[in-house]
Amino acid sequence: MIFLKNAYDCGDRLKIGYMIRVILFEDNKSLRQSLSFVLNDTEGIHFTGAFADANDAVARVTSHRPDVILMDIQMPGISGLEALARIKARYPNVKILIQTIFEDEAKIFTAICAGASGYVLKNTDTEPLIKAIFEVYNGGSSLTPGIATKVLNMFHQKFQQKPLTFIDLTEREKEILTLLVKGQSYKLIADNCQISFNTVHTHIKKIYEKLHVNSATEAVSMAIEQKLV
């Protein structure tokens, strides 16, 4: 059990008497129970719920009103990345910590672009994980050293390989690309832009052609490195 005195010395930055509201999405029963036990016994945290999937993620967030969400990536039904995009579209100010066994660069990049406040590996000790919750609540970001190194190397390689070039996107294409960078699905983009799913597909196909890419991950990567949005 971990009992953290003075909430990692962040108590002076919390409202007096306020507890950080935290919920967990994790399909592994043993890990879910273990983390629930720790979070329940951590000073400064009000743990309000743990869920085995993210199929009703937005509804759960609406009900529990968390400040920080611990989100697994690989879950049955809706993935953690899709849940991240849906939650951020509805509640842009909520902090989401991705917790996963994956060190896949594409997943890291997609999660960060979609608005994740941090990305930590499941083999991270419990104490640094709790510290990460306080860090993101107080406006910071949290990446384990290995993940931080991957992110820095990834950006360094991409900027070295491709010089900035002018790409002529229409205002609608820029709008859709911006939503794509935020991690929104085609359906969410259609809803936000008040256009049909097929129209979104047509615009994204044209965006791919202009950017000379073949996937959403490549489009997001180029949008950021070329400062298109």
Side-chain angles (χ1 to χ4, degrees):
M1 180 179 73
I2 286 182
F3 188 77
L4 300 175
K5 293 294 183 183
N6 298 322
Y8 278 107
D9 298 324
C10 291
D12 58 330
R13 286 177 283 173
L14 300 177
K15 300 173 185 176
I16 295 176
Y18 187 77
M19 306 272 281
I20 301 174
R21 296 176 62 84
V22 177
I23 63 174
L24 167 69
F25 292 95
E26 170 58 59
D27 69 326
N28 183 295
K29 183 178 180 180
S30 176
L31 181 57
R32 187 170 67 251
Q33 291 176 339
S34 175
L35 286 175
S36 297
F37 179 77
V38 170
L39 292 167
N40 268 317
D41 283 350
T42 299
E43 183 181 0
I45 287 179
H46 176 46
F47 184 61
T48 66
F51 311 101
D53 61 63
N55 295 334
D56 297 316
V58 174
R60 301 291 190 187
V61 173
T62 300
S63 174
H64 291 268
R65 296 290 178 176
D67 300 301
V68 178
I69 299 168
L70 284 177
M71 178 71 72
D72 185 20
I73 281 187
Q74 198 73 19
M75 289 182 285
I78 295 174
S79 73
L81 292 178
E82 177 65 18
L84 165 65
R86 294 185 182 191
I87 293 168
K88 294 297 284 189
R90 182 76 176 272
Y91 299 105
N93 293 325
V94 71
K95 310 297 184 182
I96 302 179
L97 264 175
I98 295 294
Q99 190 185 16
T100 181
I101 61 174
F102 298 103
E103 293 188 63
D104 180 82
E105 280 144 353
K107 286 184 172 65
I108 297 169
F109 193 78
T110 300
I112 292 173
C113 290
S117 297
Y119 195 109
V120 294
L121 297 178
K122 286 186 179 180
N123 59 9
T124 302
D125 290 339
T126 304
E127 190 166 341
L129 176 62
I130 298 299
K131 184 175 181 180
I133 292 174
F134 284 91
E135 286 176 346
V136 300
Y137 173 78
N138 285 290
S141 297
S142 182
L143 296 172
T144 56
I147 295 296
T149 299
K150 282 181 177 291
V151 171
L152 289 173
N153 288 341
M154 185 169 53
F155 275 96
H156 179 69
Q157 290 170 6
K158 287 181 180 295
F159 278 108
Q160 274 193 331
Q161 291 170 358
K162 297 180 181 179
L164 296 179
T165 57
F166 174 74
I167 298 173
D168 187 20
L169 297 175
T170 67
E171 289 304 313
R172 176 63 88 181
E173 288 167 352
K174 288 180 181 178
E175 179 183 13
I176 290 173
L177 183 56
T178 298
L179 295 175
L180 202 63
V181 168
K182 292 180 179 179
Q184 294 194 12
S185 65
Y186 284 23
K187 185 179 183 303
L188 284 173
I189 293 173
D191 291 342
N192 283 325
C193 295
Q194 298 184 326
I195 56 179
S196 71
F197 181 92
N198 287 337
T199 301
V200 171
H201 185 273
T202 299
H203 280 303
I204 290 181
K205 182 179 179 182
K206 179 60 81 173
I207 291 170
Y208 285 3
E209 290 174 357
K210 291 184 177 182
L211 300 185
H212 302 290
V213 299
N214 298 302
S215 69
T217 301
E218 290 177 337
V220 168
S221 175
M222 181 167 287
I224 292 174
E225 70 185 43
Q226 299 281 0
K227 300 180 181 179
L228 300 176
V229 296

